[in-house]
Amino acid sequence: MVKKNVKVSVRMMWFCQLPSRFCFYIRTKRLVRVVVLLLLVLFYCEFLHYYIVLLWCTWPHLASPAHQPLRVMIIGDTHILGSNAHWFDKLRREWQMVRSFQASMLIHRPDVVFVLGDLMDYGTESSTQEFHHHVTRFKEMFDTPAHTHMEVIVGNHDIGFHNMMTPKRHDRFKEAFDTPSIRLVTIRDVNFVLVNSMALEGDGCSICSEAESKLRDIKWQLKCSKGKETGKFVADVCEKIETLKYSNPILLQHFPMYRTSDINCSTPDAAPKDERDIPFRNKIDCISKESTDMLFDYLDPRLVISAHTHHGCYRVHGNGVPEYTVASYNWRNKQGPTFFLAEITSKDFVLNRCYLPNEITVFGMYITAGFLAIVCLIIPPVRHKPVLVNGFSTSNKQH
């Protein structure tokens, strides 16, 4: 029994000495000092730094909401790279987006997330097998908790511009994400209209005709809902239409509304100054003037949010409707990626632009850590003076 107690005491003493032994090795072993330093920097830069940066971004607050506002997170242009991309570039960019998104899910806990198109970079060039691999990868990377709903909009990199958009590409994206070209989504009495920008060509193609027909249906659904709610004139067609609680919808699409360039965009995440006056190509960089007028006429939106340009923008259209363009969520496309947090009710809305970690800052920390590692290798270890223990002299040798 005594021997057993002695063994337990020895083990406890050894366990209690672990912190001091660890500190001793850090102080006396040059290589250990460097490894510990690099591991700490790696953990901070590749994990903890995302949480610290995103903690600085908070939800905007409506002045006096009548009821609990809907909390919405909006991102765009994730551009998951295909198999033809360099493996390290793909690994790095996907890791950055995963860490940023999952940190936001934990910190901000949005009610709904909207992804405004270009989920993948090579959707038009992918075989069916590769496409489904990208879909699976996207859903793994941008997995949301049970309390968060996600809605996805199609972009030109997912199915191609109008001249490349085939029924097969359109249908496989639609089936993978349950995303018709045009749809009305109502969440907590807030109406959102989600639009396939490439289906607004106006040339009578089958996908375009279907999209325009659905837009007309939504137009009458909103018009009839408003008429019944306000007690104003309601057309006979409204008797066959299912109405909803009316509010001016929020329009979400991949392409921006018609504009000549980014010349009037001056947000912190806007395009570089030497790029802002580059003319936009109609139906490639933005939707056409005719499609813009049609959307305003049919939907009467109170807010438009778009993506596609990879840069941020804010502008107010001639009819007083504001439009926000969200920058790319991928560091490969934007040096300072951003996204939106918004509080929305059926009457009001407020948005806050949030920044993801800056790569320059991360690289700076790695360079600093490398310099400190070199210093740790150069600085000699601590020498210990002899210590008398039970009358005997002991000393720690230099390592």
Side-chain angles (χ1 to χ4, degrees):
M1 187 69 180
V2 174
K3 290 182 178 180
K4 184 176 181 180
N5 291 335
V6 170
K7 288 182 179 180
V8 172
S9 300
V10 171
R11 289 175 182 174
M12 288 298 295
M13 289 177 62
W14 182 84
F15 181 78
C16 293
Q17 290 175 354
L18 280 178
S20 60
R21 287 174 180 267
F22 181 70
C23 292
F24 170 76
Y25 273 103
I26 291 178
R27 289 186 297 117
T28 59
K29 301 283 188 178
R30 302 187 187 192
L31 186 58
V32 172
R33 284 202 301 264
V34 171
V35 170
V36 169
L37 173 64
L38 294 180
L39 287 176
L40 288 175
V41 172
L42 184 67
F43 173 76
Y44 177 83
C45 290
E46 302 303 330
F47 187 82
L48 190 59
H49 186 61
Y50 292 89
Y51 291 89
I52 292 177
V53 171
L54 289 168
L55 275 171
W56 284 95
C57 187
T58 57
W59 287 101
H61 295 290
L62 291 168
S64 299
H67 52 82
Q68 181 67 26
L70 183 69
R71 289 189 159 184
V72 178
M73 178 179 175
I74 303 165
I75 67 175
D77 295 277
T78 54
H79 285 271
I80 294 178
L81 296 176
S83 57
N84 56 344
H86 190 278
W87 69 267
F88 182 77
D89 190 22
K90 180 178 173 63
L91 175 68
R92 179 67 182 163
R93 302 314 176 191
E94 289 187 0
W95 173 260
Q96 290 170 322
M97 290 191 288
V98 168
R99 291 273 49 88
S100 298
F101 188 80
Q102 295 306 327
S104 286
M105 290 301 100
L106 180 64
I107 295 170
H108 301 123
R109 299 175 62 84
D111 298 314
V112 59
V113 176
F114 288 105
V115 186
L116 305 190
D118 280 1
L119 280 60
M120 53 198 76
D121 206 40
Y122 297 101
T124 57
E125 302 173 18
S126 300
S127 64
T128 300
Q129 182 179 357
E130 289 173 329
F131 176 81
H132 288 296
H133 170 74
H134 295 327
V135 170
T136 301
R137 183 61 183 141
F138 176 87
K139 291 181 178 180
E140 290 173 348
M141 291 172 59
F142 298 95
D143 183 41
T144 58
H147 61 81
T148 300
H149 178 66
M150 176 177 279
E151 290 284 347
V152 169
I153 297 174
V154 66
N156 59 286
H157 275 265
D158 301 316
I159 62 174
F161 285 105
H162 178 267
N163 62 328
M164 299 174 62
M165 181 178 61
T166 64
K168 178 181 178 181
R169 290 172 179 166
H170 174 269
D171 291 343
R172 74 180 184 181
F173 189 92
K174 175 183 175 181
E175 293 171 5
F177 294 101
D178 190 20
T179 56
S181 282
I182 310 292
R183 63 193 188 277
L184 172 63
V185 177
T186 301
I187 308 173
R188 209 179 295 169
D189 294 334
V190 180
N191 297 320
F192 300 93
V193 179
L194 284 60
V195 174
N196 174 358
S197 301
M198 291 75 66
L200 299 178
E201 191 79 6
D203 64 350
C205 75
S206 59
I207 298 175
C208 299
S209 297
E210 180 185 346
E212 291 178 15
S213 175
K214 183 59 178 178
L215 277 173
R216 285 191 292 270
D217 292 342
I218 294 175
K219 167 190 174 181
W220 278 108
Q221 187 176 12
L222 292 170
K223 191 172 183 178
C224 294
S225 300
K226 183 178 182 180
K228 288 185 177 182
E229 194 167 300
T230 58
K232 295 182 179 180
F233 172 78
V234 178
D236 295 337
V237 70
C238 295
E239 296 178 3
K240 301 179 181 179
I241 294 178
E242 181 183 357
T243 57
L244 43 80
K245 185 175 177 58
Y246 179 78
S247 65
N248 291 80
I250 293 173
L251 174 60
L252 301 171
Q253 60 184 10
H254 182 61
F255 285 7
M257 296 295 232
Y258 175 78
R259 61 180 186 241
T260 57
S261 68
D262 272 348
I263 191 65
N264 294 322
C265 300
S266 58
T267 57
D269 59 345
K273 291 184 179 180
D274 59 343
E275 296 181 16
R276 293 181 194 176
D277 59 350
I278 298 176
F280 273 18
R281 295 163 294 176
N282 211 20
K283 302 179 183 180
I284 295 178
D285 299 314
C286 62
I287 64 174
S288 66
K289 181 69 165 61
E290 294 76 18
S291 295
T292 297
D293 292 339
M294 179 183 67
L295 290 174
F296 278 135
D297 179 54
Y298 280 15
L299 304 176
D300 188 24
R302 55 187 168 124
L303 171 66
V304 179
I305 305 178
S306 57
H308 184 55
T309 66
H310 296 175
H311 302 294
C313 185
Y314 171 78
R315 67 193 300 264
V316 179
H317 292 273
N319 56 5
V321 178
E323 178 181 359
Y324 289 88
T325 300
V326 63
S328 175
Y329 200 72
N330 192 327
W331 279 259
R332 194 170 188 257
N333 303 323
K334 181 70 175 174
Q335 179 58 47
T338 59
F339 64 97
F340 289 134
L341 293 179
E343 280 199 352
I344 305 173
T345 66
S346 59
K347 302 297 180 183
D348 301 310
F349 62 85
V350 60
L351 281 78
N352 191 13
R353 179 178 288 101
C354 297
Y355 291 85
L356 300 186
N358 192 313
E359 261 194 331
I360 295 177
T361 302
V362 174
F363 290 155
M365 286 188 284
Y366 277 128
I367 292 172
T368 302
F371 174 77
L372 292 176
I374 295 174
V375 172
C376 287
L377 289 172
I378 294 175
I379 294 179
V382 177
R383 293 179 179 273
H384 293 272
K385 295 180 179 180
V387 179
L388 291 177
V389 178
N390 296 329
F392 294 94
S393 176
T394 64
S395 62
N396 293 321
K397 296 181 180 180
Q398 180 178 347
H399 294 272

